[in-house]
Amino acid sequence: MYSDPIITKYIDLIKANTGALKVFYQGEPVRIPASNLPCAIISKRETRVGPLTNAEDEHGIGMSITIITDIRQDLSTDESIAQVVAGVASLYDIVEGRNADYSLKDESLLSILRHNIAVDLTNNLRTDLTSITRVDYGQTLRDRPREEWSIEARVDFNAHFSQVR
């Protein structure tokens, strides 16, 4: 089975900086066992290739990381709405947890992407900070089954590298 080396580099980067995620998937799995949550799905949205010099191409890759959490661990027997909100707070913390001064927590996904620009210097793979990194808590790759009791966020960002033709 094909394992994309660019996605693998981002998985390695995230694993090296946080232990909040149990499993990483390359591309969208059909079903995700609750025991694998919280997890990350890393997918490519698009790839753009254009000339950089007479001998090199610049590759721009739009990527998405979907973080899925199981809110059942935050629910209590009183079925209060406050417990569901606690599940959402757990998702916020993984994706863009912040300190009291609004700075990103080092282990949050957004901080990992924004503070580790050089992903693979040997092959020139970098996170593109000249473009917007977008976090979306409403749009997902697809609807999850209701019985999974999961919530998710999607982080869209761009990566790029130059390569000799």
Side-chain angles (χ1 to χ4, degrees):
M1 177 169 69
Y2 177 71
S3 178
D4 186 88
I6 295 167
I7 293 175
T8 299
K9 284 294 182 181
Y10 276 97
I11 290 171
D12 293 345
L13 172 66
I14 296 165
K15 281 182 178 179
N17 287 281
T18 184
L21 301 164
K22 292 182 182 178
V23 176
F24 291 81
Y25 296 97
Q26 288 197 22
E28 180 75 12
V30 175
R31 300 275 295 180
I32 301 168
S35 60
N36 286 355
L37 300 178
C39 72
I41 299 169
I42 304 181
S43 305
K44 292 181 179 180
R45 291 187 326 275
E46 65 178 351
T47 300
R48 299 166 316 279
V49 180
L52 181 64
T53 66
N54 285 340
E56 295 176 297
D57 280 338
E58 178 76 17
H59 295 247
I61 302 166
M63 300 183 71
S64 294
I65 302 175
T66 303
I67 303 296
I68 305 171
T69 61
D70 184 353
I71 62 171
R72 287 179 295 183
Q73 65 188 5
D74 295 309
L75 295 175
S76 68
T77 55
D78 66 7
E79 298 182 20
S80 71
I81 194 66
Q83 296 303 316
V84 174
V85 171
V88 173
S90 296
L91 178 64
Y92 289 167
D93 193 41
I94 292 170
V95 175
E96 62 173 304
R98 295 179 185 273
N99 299 304
D101 66 355
Y102 311 139
S103 62
L104 292 166
K105 292 181 179 178
D106 291 340
E107 65 277 2
S108 72
L109 180 60
L110 196 53
S111 177
I112 293 167
L113 291 174
R114 302 297 293 176
H115 290 100
N116 295 281
I117 301 162
V119 179
D120 181 4
L121 288 177
T122 303
N123 294 305
N124 303 312
L125 179 61
R126 299 176 184 276
T127 301
D128 182 0
L129 296 187
T130 63
S131 61
I132 299 294
T133 300
R134 181 174 186 249
V135 179
D136 188 339
Y137 293 99
Q139 182 178 344
T140 60
L141 295 176
R142 67 170 177 83
D143 291 332
R144 307 274 169 231
R146 298 178 117 191
E147 69 273 10
E148 287 186 6
W149 285 84
S150 64
I151 55 176
E152 57 193 85
R154 190 174 81 189
V155 179
D156 294 329
F157 66 100
N158 293 310
H160 66 90
F161 64 93
S162 57
Q163 190 173 62
V164 175
R165 276 188 219 108

